[in-house]
Amino acid sequence: MSTAATSPEPPTTDLPFRDPALPLAQRVDDLISRLTIDERIELLYQHSPGVPRLGLAPFKTGTEGLHGVSWLGPATVFPQAVGLGATWDEELLHEVATAVGTEARALHQRPAADGRRPSLQIWAPVVNLLRDPRWGRNEEGYAEDPLLTGRLSVSFCRGLAGGHQVYLRTAPLLKHFLAYNNEDERDITSSVVPPRVLHEYDLAAFRPAIASGAATGVMPAYNLINGRPCHVSPLIETEVRRWAEPTGHELFVCSDAGAVTNLAESERYFDDHPTSHAAAVRAGVDSITELDEDGSVTLDRLRAAVDRGLLTEEDIDRAARRQLSIRFRLGEFDPDLDPYAGIRDDVVDSPTHRTLALRAATESVVLLKNDGALPLSPAPGVRVALVGPLADTLFEDWYSGTMPYRITIATGLEAALKEHGAEAVRAEGVDRITLRAASTGGHLRVPALDPGGPMVAGAPSDEQEAGDNACHDLFDWGEGVLTFRNARTERYVTLKDGDLTLAADQTQPNGWFVHETFRLEPQPDGTELLRNISNGRYAAVDPATGRVTLSAEAPEQAERWTRTVVRDGVAEAVAAVASADVAVVVLGNDPHIDGRETEDRTGISLPPAQEALLRAVAAERPESVLVVMSSYPYAVDWADEHLPAVVWTSHGGQETGRALAAILLGEAEPSGRLPQTWYRGDDPLPGRLDYDIISAGWTYQYHEAAPLYPFGHGLSYTSFAYSDLRLSAREAAQDDTLTVSVELTNTGTRTGTETVQLYTRALAARHCAPRRRLTDFRKVSLAPGERRRLEFELPVEALAHWSVSAGAFAVDPGPYEILIGHSAEAIALTAPLTVTGPALPTRRLVGGRLEAIDFDECEGGTLVDASREKGEAVTPATGATHCALRYGSVDLGSAADGPRVITAEVSCATEEDAVVEIYADGAAGTLLAALHVPADTDGRYDWRTVSAPMPAEVTGVHDLRLVLRGGVHLAAIAGGTR
């Protein structure tokens, strides 16, 4: 147990922890030994205070830097993470992250009035896989595939960290561990992840950045996994920290905001906060993020946990040591040796970073369809109509930085067209309306003399009836969600929290609680009620002052409004395209609305108003190009069928407009490839909480229906041909490495970039194997007519699956197929491969133990925690009376074993008896045992064993079918002899 020294300290500059010649661990141990227990506890909070007597500065965990430094003022803004994922470009992500880390260093150097500086621990990248395109935070992840996500994450982390052997530029932290892909009720939902999905999919995305040493930390997710909150998951220690051991550095684990408090509140997993906080620290959480800078509540909980014996000083020291190790590596204690200490403000939004932002935005654009409409031909006299609610706007998202400037698609394309003598005409395609109050007869308007002040709807006057004060552009985002932009201020109408007034003063919808979204609710008399979505209240008008407040709690108290359309948006757009030679229609989402943190999407269709605008424009001008600018995929089935060209970009940051202009005009080659599947609109997607991608059929690996646009899809303005696929051997042992080579030729007339994608699949697997799985990829640029042979090293272990029988990755012997091509569905060439070697041994029941979660198939069941600390069990899902489990190829023993028994480890969560039925060879096979589980267990964590004899005539290898009836929880079964 460490203790604080009581003798007078020598000058802090002479203390051993200040000596850079000493090993890092020795320096950390010395500093820890000089801190009191209370000072060490304070290191476990996000905002830890300084220790002046030791020269220890205050420290804060976490600066957001997902695609630019966030929340610290203007900084270079790159495409959203999903857009960076669409580049499939590891080198580019390294450069982007280098820029982000460099700007974070510069912003860290700025003097801080309160003595605190922005953290050099960067909470990025997000490594969660894009399993469900309806996820509200889809924009934050790279891809639906773990290999692509893992490799891009390594590159991004290395760019953030820098290349110095001792010191870090910044300390990258991966978010959010684990199986986190839904926002609705995210703090109380449990992601049910069977072992194969856990190891082949979710863990596989996190492992590369950690095992390579590129990442320095991890943040657990809000959700539960298999019934246990991620913040107390044993996987933090048994997997994540184990991966990091060979790197020589321990990971620093930070909680998500408020998540440790959730353990005892919304999740009710523990009885009180000292218990929950202690459990999180013991599970491996080193820093608790809650309540901003006020750490008193959290620290009191930690102190109480120590006083009650729930935490030891060793527990506290272990967590504190991990924080201090990161701070040493960031150069805090060696400012004269820190190679990044000299970075200054001039790097923020520097010309170099602007150029990089343009390159990233350009490479992230994906050409989804092209029947020859692109590139546009901007000859003199050609007129292009730029249409749509996103044509002339760029949105920031919750984790964006503040854009130093904004080049919209309309601005960028108009400037580029002008250089060619062509011209552009703009039309947003949204209605401009007025709203007249029934009680006063006045319009909702901004005051003429104070347009940014509280909005009014007083009695009519010449002042209020004239001009744009009372006109608002109405944006319809679907699901009844509306935003209003005042014509006079050109700012969005927002709710003011303090006095509940309205003001038209926001550049875009924004904030954690978005105050700029409204509904217009129709009434029987033809009027409408104006309701703010954030506070749920209706607009009312003060009869004396005319001031409008969102204060009415019930419809009968609300003002009635009459809507008048003063400019028809669709008609305006149709008129614009009628005068043009071609139309570019820009549709999509606002990242703060309908799909964002805390809010999932309900579907994948375009907002109906946008779909109607698109169809009206296309009816007038069939030569229309659709540009989708969005945080996630849309089901643009109609556009794909009826329009000649469809393009997608994420919200691409400050240079979006120039990037799109270059692509649309052919000045840059489209090289982006989809990082996730775009499903068809009539495709019944699996449930949003169905995390078992194998049984549910999620992602390109397991989804059977043909997608609208497949994973890896993206067109070019040139063409590529694949030929002569070769394997260095057609037969290989399980520990061999093969060379796969293919010849790629640019058969078109332009220089272009192809992303060569190598997939594999098992042809005779005993398990449910993926349809195909990405195993490698390479981005290659070729001149017209150029031919190049590409080689890929393919370790046979890359064909492995997680064996539930062995509890490890294994490569089954047998036939496989190597596939190479343009996308997961556009396979150009295939080659057979035979893997030789021993098959996995069968599982033994007699003398062995069969974990319940290691099933091959599960019907109607769910996974839950076996205890609060470790272990998992299977039970019928909520609302189900039973569930069935299949375990393939289990050796039941022989007659020579003598009389045999089957034993089950069970608990009962109901007041009624339950039963576990065990069959050999399916439901129609032999009943081996019916194990009755009495209801007198003391809750779900009261485990006991029940046994029954096994029929003597059933021996050898069989598939087992287990049926769990009632409220039984099953942890394992085993066989033995009497």
Side-chain angles (χ1 to χ4, degrees):
M1 180 178 296
S2 62
T3 59
T6 57
S7 58
E9 298 280 6
T12 59
T13 54
D14 297 334
L15 295 175
F17 74 84
R18 293 287 183 181
D19 184 356
L22 294 177
L24 173 61
Q26 187 175 335
R27 298 178 74 185
V28 172
D29 286 344
D30 178 72
L31 179 51
I32 286 282
S33 72
R34 299 175 189 281
L35 297 172
T36 67
I37 181 61
D38 207 54
E39 288 167 341
R40 282 173 270 148
I41 289 173
E42 288 175 339
L43 291 175
L44 274 61
Y45 189 65
Q46 181 186 24
H47 294 267
S48 58
V51 183
R53 64 184 176 82
L54 295 175
L56 189 64
F59 180 79
K60 171 186 175 291
T61 62
T63 289
E64 301 290 354
L66 187 58
H67 56 111
V69 182
S70 304
W71 309 347
L72 296 176
T76 307
V77 177
F78 298 96
Q80 294 175 306
V82 68
L84 294 175
T87 69
W88 290 57
D89 192 327
E90 295 164 273
E91 181 270 333
L92 174 60
L93 263 75
H94 186 276
E95 288 193 40
V96 168
T98 298
V100 174
T102 301
E103 294 195 7
R105 269 282 180 166
L107 295 169
H108 175 77
Q109 307 293 11
R110 289 180 180 174
D114 61 357
R116 295 183 181 272
R117 297 177 183 271
S119 179
L120 289 177
Q121 184 193 53
I122 305 299
W123 286 356
V126 170
V127 191
N128 300 108
L129 297 167
L130 306 183
R131 170 191 63 98
D132 185 346
R134 298 166 298 192
W135 183 33
R137 300 178 77 170
N138 190 86
E139 66 204 31
E140 297 182 37
Y142 289 136
E144 70 180 35
D145 180 78
L147 182 131
L148 177 56
T149 295
R151 282 174 50 172
L152 295 181
S153 298
V154 169
S155 294
F156 198 85
C157 286
R158 285 178 172 160
L160 287 174
H164 198 274
Q165 292 186 340
V166 176
Y167 297 103
L168 299 168
R169 180 189 290 117
T170 62
L173 174 143
L174 307 182
K175 300 196 298 187
H176 309 82
F177 187 83
L178 185 71
Y180 169 44
N181 196 223
N182 66 279
E183 293 304 299
D184 297 345
E185 298 185 319
R186 61 182 180 174
D187 59 326
I188 60 173
T189 56
S190 177
S191 304
V192 177
V193 182
R196 275 196 60 204
V197 178
L198 175 70
H199 290 276
E200 294 177 23
Y201 192 65
D202 290 293
L203 289 177
F206 279 85
R207 186 167 186 163
I210 296 170
S212 67
T216 65
V218 168
M219 176 182 288
Y222 281 114
N223 56 286
L224 299 84
I225 182 168
N226 296 343
R228 182 182 294 109
C230 289
H231 278 72
V232 291
S233 171
L235 295 171
I236 295 173
E237 295 292 338
T238 62
E239 296 291 339
V240 174
R241 283 211 160 97
R242 179 175 59 83
W243 301 336
E245 285 175 1
T247 71
H249 294 290
E250 280 199 280
L251 289 176
F252 182 35
V253 177
C254 296
S255 83
D256 211 335
V260 176
T261 287
N262 291 345
L263 294 172
E265 293 188 4
S266 60
E267 292 166 349
R268 299 179 182 177
Y269 199 72
F270 296 100
D271 292 335
D272 57 49
H273 292 296
T275 303
S276 66
H277 284 51
V281 172
R282 290 197 309 270
V285 173
D286 305 313
S287 177
I288 297 174
T289 310
E290 294 178 334
L291 303 174
D292 295 326
E293 294 186 25
D294 180 11
S296 60
V297 174
T298 298
L299 295 174
D300 284 347
R301 293 168 178 171
L302 290 170
R303 294 183 187 109
V306 173
D307 292 342
R308 289 166 50 181
L310 302 172
L311 285 175
T312 66
E313 284 198 47
E314 286 85 357
D315 295 325
I316 300 297
D317 289 356
R318 185 171 54 249
R321 183 176 286 106
R322 290 166 180 156
Q323 186 210 90
L324 292 173
S325 295
I326 289 294
R327 295 171 68 174
F328 274 98
R329 295 177 67 195
L330 286 167
E332 178 180 333
F333 300 94
D334 307 323
D336 294 336
L337 299 177
D338 179 1
Y340 307 109
I343 295 173
R344 292 294 180 262
D345 266 9
D346 58 356
V347 302
V348 178
D349 187 38
S350 64
T352 300
H353 290 179
R354 290 185 174 194
T355 300
L356 182 61
L358 175 58
R359 177 187 163 197
T362 304
E363 282 198 37
S364 70
V365 177
V366 182
L367 180 59
L368 298 174
K369 178 187 178 181
N370 188 24
D371 287 344
L374 294 178
L376 301 176
S377 300
V382 169
R383 198 174 202 207
V384 179
L386 307 176
V387 175
L390 277 75
D392 197 24
T393 190
L394 292 183
F395 288 121
E396 296 168 352
D397 62 44
W398 176 243
Y399 290 105
S400 287
T402 301
M403 284 187 260
Y405 59 90
R406 303 180 188 222
I407 307 297
T408 68
I409 293 176
T411 300
L413 190 54
E414 192 171 55
L417 289 169
K418 187 176 181 180
E419 292 179 2
H420 294 276
E423 63 176 313
V425 57
R426 305 184 187 188
E428 278 188 304
V430 300
D431 289 345
R432 178 163 289 183
I433 69 165
T434 61
L435 292 175
R436 184 184 295 274
S439 67
T440 65
H443 286 111
L444 176 67
R445 65 192 186 278
V446 298
L449 301 180
D450 182 20
M455 298 178 73
V456 296
S461 68
D462 291 341
E463 173 270 322
Q464 79 100 37
E465 296 296 341
D468 292 334
N469 295 335
C471 291
H472 313 280
D473 297 327
L474 181 65
F475 295 84
D476 185 341
W477 300 104
E479 303 284 335
V481 178
L482 308 171
T483 55
F484 298 85
R485 188 185 63 203
N486 180 257
R488 165 81 182 278
T489 67
E490 297 185 339
R491 295 290 186 268
Y492 286 85
V493 176
T494 187
L495 166 70
K496 298 297 181 180
D497 274 331
D499 56 8
L500 303 182
T501 58
L502 294 176
D505 63 358
Q506 296 298 300
T507 304
Q508 70 164 77
N510 63 87
W512 183 256
F513 300 103
V514 178
H515 284 11
E516 294 78 33
T517 52
F518 299 85
R519 299 187 190 279
L520 282 172
E521 299 182 357
Q523 301 302 298
D525 62 359
T527 63
E528 296 174 294
L529 307 183
L530 177 62
R531 190 177 194 180
N532 182 264
I533 292 176
S534 177
N535 77 351
R537 296 182 179 182
Y538 298 91
V541 179
D542 186 313
T545 65
R547 180 171 290 190
V548 179
T549 59
L550 271 294
S551 56
E553 296 187 358
E556 56 269 16
Q557 301 167 344
E559 181 63 61
R560 265 60 177 167
W561 304 90
T562 298
R563 183 194 323 195
T564 300
V565 177
V566 298
R567 185 190 67 199
D568 185 306
V570 172
E572 177 196 40
V574 169
V577 302
S579 67
D581 299 288
V582 65
V584 175
V585 185
V586 188
L587 307 177
N589 78 304
D590 179 331
H592 282 85
I593 300 171
D594 188 26
R596 50 156 291 168
E597 186 167 1
T598 74
E599 179 187 341
D600 291 316
R601 286 195 294 169
T602 58
I604 59 174
S605 299
L606 280 170
Q610 292 192 22
E611 185 80 26
L613 171 65
L614 176 65
R615 296 189 184 199
V617 168
E620 177 63 34
R621 180 63 61 201
E623 304 85 0
S624 294
V625 175
L626 172 62
V627 175
V628 179
M629 181 160 56
S630 66
S631 308
Y632 36 61
Y634 278 114
V636 289
D637 305 44
W638 186 92
D640 181 72
E641 182 179 352
H642 293 91
L643 299 184
V646 181
V647 176
W648 174 73
T649 175
S650 72
H651 295 277
Q654 60 204 48
E655 288 286 351
T656 300
R658 269 193 277 259
L660 262 295
I663 294 292
L664 294 175
L665 298 181
E667 296 168 0
E669 183 74 11
S671 64
R673 300 295 182 264
L674 288 181
Q676 65 186 132
T677 304
W678 283 43
Y679 298 98
R680 293 186 177 275
D682 59 359
D683 191 339
L685 298 180
R688 68 179 66 254
L689 295 181
D690 200 338
Y691 279 78
D692 183 351
I693 66 165
I694 299 174
S695 65
W698 273 120
T699 82
Y700 77 93
Q701 293 192 37
Y702 295 98
H703 198 73
E704 294 293 342
L708 180 63
Y709 303 119
F711 172 77
H713 172 72
L715 304 177
S716 172
Y717 289 150
T718 188
S719 56
F720 294 92
Y722 291 79
S723 61
D724 195 19
L725 175 61
R726 301 178 189 172
L727 305 186
S728 57
R730 296 287 178 162
E731 187 174 281
Q734 291 159 320
D735 58 353
D736 282 348
T737 296
L738 301 174
T739 299
V740 178
S741 67
V742 68
E743 203 159 79
L744 180 70
T745 305
N746 182 342
T747 56
T749 59
R750 295 171 54 112
T751 296
T753 300
E754 173 74 334
T755 299
V756 180
Q757 300 166 43
L758 176 66
Y759 295 88
T760 58
R761 66 174 176 176
L763 298 180
R766 294 182 298 171
H767 58 282
C768 181
R771 297 173 57 252
R772 54 188 57 96
R773 182 168 63 191
L774 182 69
T775 309
D776 206 344
F777 63 90
R778 189 167 307 158
K779 199 167 184 177
V780 183
S781 292
L782 297 179
E786 184 180 356
R787 176 179 300 175
R788 188 180 306 174
R789 177 160 288 280
L790 307 174
E791 291 190 351
F792 299 88
E793 293 299 309
L794 178 63
V796 175
E797 67 180 14
L799 306 176
H801 71 284
W802 181 262
S803 169
V804 291
S805 61
F809 278 101
V811 181
D812 287 336
Y816 291 81
E817 190 172 44
I818 311 302
L819 310 93
I820 203 159
H822 309 276
S823 76
E825 300 299 327
I827 300 300
L829 298 170
T830 64
L833 172 68
T834 299
V835 174
T836 61
L840 286 170
T842 58
R843 291 180 275 193
R844 285 187 57 82
L845 187 64
V846 176
R849 176 183 170 92
L850 193 62
E851 298 293 338
I853 63 168
D854 286 334
F855 50 76
D856 291 285
E857 293 178 15
C858 176
E859 301 173 11
T862 190
L863 303 186
V864 295
D865 54 332
S867 74
R868 289 187 176 89
E869 292 77 26
K870 63 181 180 178
E872 293 163 314
V874 182
T875 189
T878 301
T881 60
H882 68 280
C883 68
L885 312 171
R886 184 183 72 82
Y887 301 85
S889 301
V890 179
D891 189 346
L892 302 181
S894 67
D897 294 322
R900 291 159 296 149
V901 296
I902 295 181
T903 299
E905 187 175 341
V906 295
S907 71
C908 192
T910 66
E911 297 180 356
E912 298 180 358
D913 291 351
V915 65
V916 177
E917 299 169 356
I918 304 175
Y919 297 86
D921 304 319
T926 303
L927 176 64
L928 298 179
L931 305 176
H932 293 277
V933 183
D936 60 352
T937 58
D938 187 18
R940 53 183 291 194
Y941 298 140
D942 181 18
W943 292 94
R944 62 186 60 191
T945 58
V946 291
S947 302
M950 190 186 307
E953 66 272 14
V954 182
T955 60
V957 177
H958 297 264
D959 285 358
L960 293 187
R961 176 181 172 88
L962 273 62
V963 179
L964 280 54
R965 301 188 188 278
V968 63
H969 289 196
L970 176 68
I973 62 170
T977 58
R978 289 180 288 171

